Amino acid sequence: MRSTGLVAGLAFMLSLSACATLNETECESVNWSDLGRSDGAAGRSPSYVQRHREACAKYSLPVDESAWRAGWEDGIRRYCTPENGLSAGRDGRSYANSCPSDVAPGFESAYRVGKRVHDAQSEYDRLKRELEQLYDDLEDAAKGEDRRKVRNRISLKESDLFLAEGRVRDAERLYDRYLYEEAAGRY
């Protein structure tokens, strides 16, 4: 269920990047403060308002940048929490360096911890797929020399996979330690 929501969210984000942010009706009726809050809560940079300006300029409609900015300030502070940084990093979401300087260190520290888990797991998954392909190649190899070469590549890939598994465990330990230290700091 969670991955379905993530896929839908990513598809929505991609659709926004592929087309104008607002159509004419939206430019006429949007609550700029709410839109800014939504953009901030999505971690978008303060320059994102330029995309709205470009979209509404097509219809010669203005953007209430001060209202958008006020909403964005509220939304970005909701986004830039350590908890969200941890989640965004672990999910492999990008970070636009949009957090205000007073909250950026907490978010970014947590983001790096979560991102380390994501990257280690992604590398492990990639190596595992490559190893599975090598096993398929071994079944298809006809000659003894070809089979020997594939077996050598399998051996190397198994070693790489073993090391990658260790990096996943290390990243998850760091993640768990971060959670423990954060919980301990609250009490």
Side-chain angles (χ1 to χ4, degrees), residues 6-183:
L6 180 61
V7 170
L10 288 173
F12 175 72
M13 296 291 284
L14 288 174
S15 72
L16 284 180
S17 66
C19 60
T21 60
L22 302 169
N23 63 34
E24 184 175 11
T25 303
E26 292 166 330
C27 286
E28 290 172 334
S29 63
V30 70
N31 178 318
W32 289 104
S33 180
D34 288 348
L35 182 59
R37 188 173 295 105
S38 174
D39 288 343
R44 295 191 177 108
S45 74
S47 64
Y48 196 79
V49 72
Q50 178 62 29
R51 296 190 65 191
H52 299 314
R53 197 178 304 114
E54 291 167 3
C56 294
K58 293 177 187 176
Y59 313 109
S60 300
L61 294 168
V63 169
D64 185 345
E65 194 164 336
S66 63
W68 182 90
R69 180 69 178 200
W72 180 86
E73 290 284 345
D74 179 53
I76 199 67
R77 291 190 178 282
R78 292 175 192 221
Y79 176 81
C80 293
T81 64
E83 295 83 9
N84 195 47
L86 203 58
S87 175
R90 185 143 192 176
D91 291 346
R93 289 181 268 153
S94 63
Y95 168 53
N97 294 315
S98 54
C99 293
S101 61
D102 62 321
V103 293
F107 176 90
E108 291 169 357
S109 174
Y111 179 83
R112 283 189 298 273
V113 169
K115 188 79 165 72
R116 184 172 172 183
V117 172
H118 174 270
D119 292 348
Q121 187 64 54
S122 294
E123 178 190 19
Y124 175 83
D125 293 343
R126 178 185 57 80
L127 290 168
K128 190 172 181 181
R129 285 189 305 273
E130 290 173 3
L131 182 60
E132 289 168 358
Q133 180 59 53
L134 286 171
Y135 286 133
D136 290 344
D137 293 349
L138 183 62
E139 287 181 19
D140 295 341
K143 295 189 280 182
E145 180 63 21
D146 291 339
R147 292 180 65 77
R148 186 186 62 74
K149 287 179 183 178
V150 173
R151 279 193 197 105
N152 287 342
R153 289 175 49 208
I154 286 172
S155 180
L156 291 172
K157 194 64 68 177
E158 286 173 338
S159 295
D160 290 344
L161 188 63
F162 177 78
L163 294 172
E165 186 175 29
R167 286 188 291 274
V168 169
R169 280 193 309 272
D170 290 345
E172 288 177 342
R173 271 195 294 273
L174 180 64
Y175 184 92
D176 290 342
R177 187 172 74 222
Y178 178 88
L179 289 176
Y180 174 78
E181 289 172 358
E182 284 297 306

